[in-house]
Amino acid sequence: MTEERLTPDELGDRCWAVLAAAAENRDDDVDELLVTLPWDDLVSVVFTVAQLGVGLLSGGADPRDQEARARVAETVRRELVQRLAERERPADDHG
């Protein structure tokens, strides 16, 4: 991590770079793009990329559509609960 904060334009560029590296399955490059960021900038990049995910999961709904966002949140929470339940199930129940 560094102490030097990025400008808003630089943060935007970093978000696009993370998306491009992820699209090409280059996790080492994503690591390099994130590891040097100060904590606040890292949070900004992760939040921005997550917002894109919310938009995609909402089917491209208007970002101001709170009902669409609530449906995405409910879907994601349901997935998390299911994943947790599967991990907590005794091994002999898996199949």
Side-chain angles (χ1 to χ4, degrees), residues 21-86:
E24 296 171 342
N25 212 24
R26 295 183 286 121
D27 58 329
D28 288 341
D29 289 346
V30 172
D31 179 58
E32 284 300 313
L33 288 163
L34 298 178
V35 73
T36 59
L37 293 174
W39 181 253
D40 289 346
D41 286 350
L42 176 62
V43 171
S44 293
V45 169
V46 170
F47 185 76
T48 300
V49 172
Q51 289 281 58
L52 175 64
V54 169
L56 291 171
L57 290 171
S58 73
D62 184 325
R64 297 168 292 190
D65 183 342
Q66 294 303 312
E67 289 179 15
R69 295 175 72 82
R71 285 190 299 273
V72 169
E74 183 58 33
T75 298
V76 171
R77 282 190 192 97
R78 211 172 22 251
E79 176 68 20
L80 287 169
V81 168
Q82 181 180 343
R83 291 170 59 93
L84 178 62
E86 288 172 2

Side-chain angles (χ1 to χ4, degrees), residues 86 88-95:
E86 288 172 2
E88 291 180 344
R89 191 176 322 145
D92 58 321
D93 286 352
H94 284 281

